[in-house]
Short mmCIF file of all heavy atoms in Angstrom, two decimals:
data_model
loop_
_atom_site.label_atom_id
_atom_site.label_comp_id
_atom_site.label_asym_id
_atom_site.label_seq_id
_atom_site.Cartn_x
_atom_site.Cartn_y
_atom_site.Cartn_z
N SER A 171 22.48 9.62 17.76
CA SER A 171 23.63 10.38 17.53
C SER A 171 24.79 9.84 18.31
O SER A 171 24.67 9.17 19.29
CB SER A 171 23.33 11.87 17.93
OG SER A 171 24.52 12.59 18.13
N ASN A 172 26.02 10.15 17.81
CA ASN A 172 27.30 9.76 18.51
C ASN A 172 27.26 10.42 19.95
O ASN A 172 28.01 9.93 20.85
CB ASN A 172 28.48 10.25 17.76
CG ASN A 172 28.81 9.34 16.64
OD1 ASN A 172 28.30 8.29 16.57
ND2 ASN A 172 29.77 9.70 15.79
N GLU A 173 26.52 11.48 20.13
CA GLU A 173 26.51 12.17 21.37
C GLU A 173 25.50 11.59 22.39
O GLU A 173 25.36 12.05 23.52
CB GLU A 173 26.22 13.71 21.19
CG GLU A 173 27.22 14.34 20.32
CD GLU A 173 26.82 15.76 19.91
OE1 GLU A 173 25.96 16.31 20.60
OE2 GLU A 173 27.35 16.28 18.92
N HIS A 174 24.62 10.73 21.91
CA HIS A 174 23.53 10.19 22.72
C HIS A 174 24.15 9.27 23.79
O HIS A 174 25.13 8.56 23.57
CB HIS A 174 22.57 9.42 21.84
CG HIS A 174 21.29 9.08 22.50
ND1 HIS A 174 21.12 8.04 23.40
CD2 HIS A 174 20.08 9.69 22.44
CE1 HIS A 174 19.88 8.03 23.81
NE2 HIS A 174 19.23 9.01 23.27
N PRO A 175 23.55 9.26 24.99
CA PRO A 175 23.99 8.35 26.13
C PRO A 175 24.06 6.87 25.71
O PRO A 175 24.89 6.12 26.34
CB PRO A 175 23.02 8.60 27.20
CG PRO A 175 22.50 9.95 27.01
CD PRO A 175 22.45 10.13 25.44
N LEU A 176 23.28 6.41 24.78
CA LEU A 176 23.22 5.05 24.36
C LEU A 176 24.15 4.71 23.22
O LEU A 176 24.21 3.63 22.69
CB LEU A 176 21.77 4.60 24.00
CG LEU A 176 20.75 4.57 25.13
CD1 LEU A 176 19.33 4.32 24.57
CD2 LEU A 176 21.12 3.48 26.13
N ALA A 177 24.91 5.69 22.79
CA ALA A 177 25.80 5.51 21.54
C ALA A 177 26.72 4.36 21.64
O ALA A 177 27.00 3.75 20.56
CB ALA A 177 26.50 6.83 21.24
N ASP A 178 27.17 3.99 22.80
CA ASP A 178 28.16 2.90 22.89
C ASP A 178 27.53 1.59 23.23
O ASP A 178 28.24 0.61 23.39
CB ASP A 178 29.12 3.25 23.99
CG ASP A 178 30.08 4.44 23.55
OD1 ASP A 178 30.36 4.55 22.34
OD2 ASP A 178 30.46 5.22 24.41
N ALA A 179 26.20 1.56 23.31
CA ALA A 179 25.54 0.33 23.66
C ALA A 179 25.52 -0.62 22.44
O ALA A 179 25.42 -0.21 21.24
CB ALA A 179 24.12 0.50 24.10
N LYS A 180 25.69 -1.96 22.69
CA LYS A 180 25.54 -2.94 21.61
C LYS A 180 24.14 -3.35 21.36
O LYS A 180 23.77 -3.57 20.20
CB LYS A 180 26.44 -4.15 21.95
CG LYS A 180 27.87 -3.90 22.01
CD LYS A 180 28.71 -5.10 22.31
CE LYS A 180 30.19 -4.86 22.30
NZ LYS A 180 30.96 -6.06 22.60
N LYS A 181 23.31 -3.43 22.41
CA LYS A 181 21.93 -3.72 22.25
C LYS A 181 21.16 -2.93 23.34
O LYS A 181 21.74 -2.60 24.35
CB LYS A 181 21.65 -5.20 22.49
CG LYS A 181 22.14 -6.12 21.39
CD LYS A 181 21.74 -7.55 21.69
CE LYS A 181 22.22 -8.51 20.51
NZ LYS A 181 21.83 -9.89 20.75
N VAL A 182 19.92 -2.65 23.06
CA VAL A 182 19.06 -1.97 24.05
C VAL A 182 17.72 -2.62 24.09
O VAL A 182 17.29 -3.33 23.13
CB VAL A 182 18.86 -0.40 23.70
CG1 VAL A 182 20.18 0.26 23.61
CG2 VAL A 182 18.13 -0.30 22.31
N LYS A 183 17.08 -2.47 25.18
CA LYS A 183 15.63 -2.85 25.30
C LYS A 183 14.74 -1.65 24.96
O LYS A 183 15.13 -0.55 25.28
CB LYS A 183 15.36 -3.37 26.71
CG LYS A 183 16.05 -4.72 27.13
CD LYS A 183 15.70 -5.07 28.47
CE LYS A 183 16.16 -6.46 28.75
NZ LYS A 183 17.62 -6.65 28.62
N MET A 184 13.60 -1.94 24.41
CA MET A 184 12.69 -0.86 23.99
C MET A 184 12.32 0.03 25.28
O MET A 184 12.13 1.19 25.12
CB MET A 184 11.43 -1.45 23.38
CG MET A 184 10.62 -0.44 22.59
SD MET A 184 11.57 0.01 21.02
CE MET A 184 10.49 1.29 20.44
N SER A 185 12.17 -0.61 26.36
CA SER A 185 11.79 0.04 27.64
C SER A 185 12.77 1.11 28.00
O SER A 185 12.42 2.10 28.69
CB SER A 185 11.54 -0.99 28.73
OG SER A 185 12.85 -1.72 28.95
N GLU A 186 14.03 0.96 27.55
CA GLU A 186 15.08 2.00 27.87
C GLU A 186 14.81 3.29 27.19
O GLU A 186 15.42 4.34 27.52
CB GLU A 186 16.44 1.48 27.59
CG GLU A 186 16.88 0.27 28.34
CD GLU A 186 18.20 -0.26 27.91
OE1 GLU A 186 19.20 0.53 28.01
OE2 GLU A 186 18.36 -1.43 27.43
N LEU A 187 13.89 3.26 26.19
CA LEU A 187 13.71 4.44 25.33
C LEU A 187 12.54 5.33 25.84
O LEU A 187 12.23 6.33 25.19
CB LEU A 187 13.54 4.07 23.94
CG LEU A 187 14.66 3.24 23.29
CD1 LEU A 187 14.32 2.88 21.82
CD2 LEU A 187 16.03 4.03 23.36
N LYS A 188 11.89 4.93 26.95
CA LYS A 188 10.82 5.67 27.47
C LYS A 188 11.32 7.10 27.79
O LYS A 188 12.34 7.25 28.41
CB LYS A 188 10.22 5.04 28.73
CG LYS A 188 9.05 5.71 29.27
CD LYS A 188 8.46 4.99 30.50
CE LYS A 188 7.26 5.64 31.03
NZ LYS A 188 6.65 4.94 32.22
N GLY A 189 10.60 8.08 27.33
CA GLY A 189 11.05 9.45 27.56
C GLY A 189 11.86 10.04 26.43
O GLY A 189 12.18 11.32 26.45
N GLU A 190 12.35 9.26 25.52
CA GLU A 190 13.11 9.72 24.36
C GLU A 190 12.24 10.50 23.38
O GLU A 190 11.03 10.23 23.31
CB GLU A 190 13.83 8.63 23.66
CG GLU A 190 14.93 7.95 24.42
CD GLU A 190 16.17 8.79 24.57
OE1 GLU A 190 16.27 9.77 23.77
OE2 GLU A 190 17.09 8.37 25.28
N HIS A 191 12.85 11.38 22.59
CA HIS A 191 12.08 12.06 21.52
C HIS A 191 12.27 11.16 20.25
O HIS A 191 13.42 10.88 19.88
CB HIS A 191 12.73 13.42 21.26
CG HIS A 191 12.50 14.41 22.33
ND1 HIS A 191 13.13 15.61 22.43
CD2 HIS A 191 11.58 14.39 23.37
CE1 HIS A 191 12.62 16.33 23.51
NE2 HIS A 191 11.73 15.58 24.10
N PHE A 192 11.09 10.78 19.72
CA PHE A 192 11.15 9.89 18.54
C PHE A 192 10.99 10.60 17.32
O PHE A 192 10.19 11.52 17.11
CB PHE A 192 10.02 8.81 18.70
CG PHE A 192 10.31 7.72 19.63
CD1 PHE A 192 10.54 7.93 20.98
CD2 PHE A 192 10.32 6.43 19.23
CE1 PHE A 192 10.77 6.94 21.85
CE2 PHE A 192 10.58 5.38 20.07
CZ PHE A 192 10.84 5.63 21.38
N LEU A 193 11.79 10.26 16.30
CA LEU A 193 11.71 10.83 14.94
C LEU A 193 11.38 9.69 14.04
O LEU A 193 12.19 8.73 13.87
CB LEU A 193 13.07 11.37 14.51
CG LEU A 193 13.75 12.43 15.48
CD1 LEU A 193 15.18 12.64 15.14
CD2 LEU A 193 12.95 13.71 15.39
N LEU A 194 10.15 9.69 13.49
CA LEU A 194 9.64 8.49 12.85
C LEU A 194 9.09 8.78 11.44
O LEU A 194 8.90 9.91 11.12
CB LEU A 194 8.50 7.80 13.70
CG LEU A 194 8.80 7.39 15.10
CD1 LEU A 194 7.56 6.71 15.70
CD2 LEU A 194 9.98 6.38 15.09
N PHE A 195 8.98 7.70 10.65
CA PHE A 195 8.28 7.78 9.41
C PHE A 195 6.82 8.22 9.74
O PHE A 195 6.29 7.99 10.75
CB PHE A 195 8.29 6.51 8.65
CG PHE A 195 9.54 6.29 7.86
CD1 PHE A 195 10.67 5.66 8.41
CD2 PHE A 195 9.58 6.78 6.54
CE1 PHE A 195 11.79 5.52 7.74
CE2 PHE A 195 10.80 6.58 5.84
CZ PHE A 195 11.85 5.99 6.42
N LYS A 196 6.25 8.82 8.75
CA LYS A 196 4.87 9.46 8.93
C LYS A 196 3.86 8.45 9.31
O LYS A 196 3.84 7.28 8.92
CB LYS A 196 4.50 10.17 7.61
CG LYS A 196 3.43 11.20 7.76
CD LYS A 196 3.37 12.09 6.51
CE LYS A 196 2.35 13.21 6.80
NZ LYS A 196 2.45 14.22 5.74
N ARG A 197 2.89 8.97 10.15
CA ARG A 197 1.78 8.05 10.50
C ARG A 197 1.08 7.59 9.25
O ARG A 197 0.83 8.33 8.34
CB ARG A 197 0.82 8.95 11.37
CG ARG A 197 -0.22 8.13 12.12
CD ARG A 197 -1.13 9.11 12.86
NE ARG A 197 -0.37 10.09 13.62
CZ ARG A 197 -0.23 10.01 14.95
NH1 ARG A 197 -0.77 9.06 15.65
NH2 ARG A 197 0.40 10.94 15.58
N GLY A 198 0.72 6.31 9.23
CA GLY A 198 0.19 5.71 7.99
C GLY A 198 1.15 4.83 7.35
O GLY A 198 0.75 3.90 6.58
N PHE A 199 2.44 5.03 7.59
CA PHE A 199 3.52 4.10 7.14
C PHE A 199 3.52 2.92 8.15
O PHE A 199 3.47 3.06 9.30
CB PHE A 199 4.87 4.83 7.14
CG PHE A 199 5.11 5.63 5.85
CD1 PHE A 199 4.28 6.71 5.58
CD2 PHE A 199 6.06 5.29 4.94
CE1 PHE A 199 4.51 7.44 4.45
CE2 PHE A 199 6.31 6.03 3.83
CZ PHE A 199 5.56 7.14 3.58
N SER A 200 3.77 1.71 7.57
CA SER A 200 3.89 0.57 8.40
C SER A 200 5.04 0.68 9.45
O SER A 200 5.01 0.08 10.59
CB SER A 200 4.12 -0.70 7.58
OG SER A 200 2.89 -0.93 6.81
N LEU A 201 6.08 1.38 9.10
CA LEU A 201 7.22 1.52 9.96
C LEU A 201 6.80 2.26 11.21
O LEU A 201 7.33 1.94 12.33
CB LEU A 201 8.38 2.26 9.28
CG LEU A 201 9.10 1.48 8.12
CD1 LEU A 201 10.19 2.35 7.47
CD2 LEU A 201 9.74 0.19 8.67
N TYR A 202 5.95 3.28 11.10
CA TYR A 202 5.44 3.96 12.26
C TYR A 202 4.73 3.03 13.19
O TYR A 202 4.90 3.04 14.39
CB TYR A 202 4.50 5.15 11.78
CG TYR A 202 3.88 5.93 12.84
CD1 TYR A 202 4.46 7.18 13.19
CD2 TYR A 202 2.77 5.50 13.60
CE1 TYR A 202 3.88 7.92 14.28
CE2 TYR A 202 2.25 6.24 14.66
CZ TYR A 202 2.81 7.45 14.89
OH TYR A 202 2.25 8.22 15.98
N ASP A 203 3.83 2.23 12.59
CA ASP A 203 3.06 1.27 13.37
C ASP A 203 3.98 0.27 14.12
O ASP A 203 3.75 -0.07 15.28
CB ASP A 203 2.10 0.42 12.43
CG ASP A 203 1.05 1.38 11.82
OD1 ASP A 203 0.83 2.45 12.39
OD2 ASP A 203 0.49 0.96 10.81
N ARG A 204 5.01 -0.26 13.42
CA ARG A 204 5.87 -1.20 14.10
C ARG A 204 6.57 -0.62 15.28
O ARG A 204 6.60 -1.25 16.39
CB ARG A 204 7.01 -1.64 13.05
CG ARG A 204 6.54 -2.48 11.89
CD ARG A 204 6.18 -3.85 12.37
NE ARG A 204 5.68 -4.61 11.22
CZ ARG A 204 4.42 -4.58 10.79
NH1 ARG A 204 3.45 -3.84 11.47
NH2 ARG A 204 4.02 -5.27 9.75
N VAL A 205 7.04 0.58 15.25
CA VAL A 205 7.76 1.20 16.35
C VAL A 205 6.76 1.59 17.48
O VAL A 205 7.06 1.26 18.71
CB VAL A 205 8.48 2.55 15.91
CG1 VAL A 205 9.09 3.18 17.14
CG2 VAL A 205 9.57 2.19 14.93
N ARG A 206 5.60 2.06 17.10
CA ARG A 206 4.59 2.41 18.19
C ARG A 206 4.12 1.12 18.84
O ARG A 206 3.98 1.12 20.10
CB ARG A 206 3.45 3.15 17.51
CG ARG A 206 2.37 3.56 18.58
CD ARG A 206 1.31 4.48 17.94
NE ARG A 206 0.40 4.91 18.96
CZ ARG A 206 -0.77 4.24 19.28
NH1 ARG A 206 -1.06 3.09 18.59
NH2 ARG A 206 -1.53 4.67 20.22
N GLU A 207 3.86 0.06 18.12
CA GLU A 207 3.43 -1.17 18.77
C GLU A 207 4.49 -1.75 19.70
O GLU A 207 4.12 -2.20 20.80
CB GLU A 207 3.11 -2.26 17.67
CG GLU A 207 1.85 -1.98 16.90
CD GLU A 207 1.82 -2.74 15.56
OE1 GLU A 207 2.73 -3.59 15.36
OE2 GLU A 207 0.85 -2.47 14.74
N ALA A 208 5.75 -1.63 19.30
CA ALA A 208 6.80 -2.12 20.20
C ALA A 208 6.94 -1.35 21.42
O ALA A 208 7.23 -1.81 22.53
CB ALA A 208 8.17 -2.20 19.43
N SER A 209 6.67 0.00 21.36
CA SER A 209 6.83 0.95 22.50
C SER A 209 5.67 0.56 23.40
O SER A 209 5.93 0.41 24.66
CB SER A 209 6.69 2.35 22.05
OG SER A 209 7.72 2.71 21.12
N ILE A 210 4.46 0.45 22.93
CA ILE A 210 3.29 0.13 23.73
C ILE A 210 3.49 -1.24 24.46
O ILE A 210 3.16 -1.36 25.63
CB ILE A 210 2.02 0.21 22.94
CG1 ILE A 210 1.77 1.62 22.53
CG2 ILE A 210 0.79 -0.32 23.72
CD1 ILE A 210 0.61 1.80 21.56
N ASP A 211 3.98 -2.24 23.73
CA ASP A 211 4.29 -3.50 24.32
C ASP A 211 5.26 -3.46 25.47
O ASP A 211 5.29 -4.29 26.38
CB ASP A 211 4.76 -4.48 23.25
CG ASP A 211 3.71 -4.95 22.32
OD1 ASP A 211 2.48 -4.77 22.63
OD2 ASP A 211 3.99 -5.49 21.26
N SER A 212 6.10 -2.37 25.42
CA SER A 212 7.09 -2.20 26.45
C SER A 212 6.64 -1.25 27.58
O SER A 212 7.45 -0.87 28.42
CB SER A 212 8.47 -1.66 25.79
OG SER A 212 8.96 -2.56 24.86
#
Side-chain angles (χ1 to χ4, degrees):
S171 163
N172 280 350
E173 301 171 19
H174 194 278
L176 292 173
D178 293 327
K180 293 183 178 180
K181 290 185 179 182
V182 301
K183 291 181 171 58
M184 199 71 187
S185 57
E186 296 178 60
L187 303 178
K188 184 177 181 180
E190 292 284 351
H191 291 167
F192 282 61
L193 308 165
L194 299 182
F195 277 90
K196 200 163 187 172
R197 196 182 308 258
F199 278 63
S200 292
L201 292 178
Y202 180 99
D203 295 338
R204 291 288 177 275
V205 175
R206 183 171 181 269
E207 288 163 6
S209 300
I210 292 172
D211 287 345
S212 300

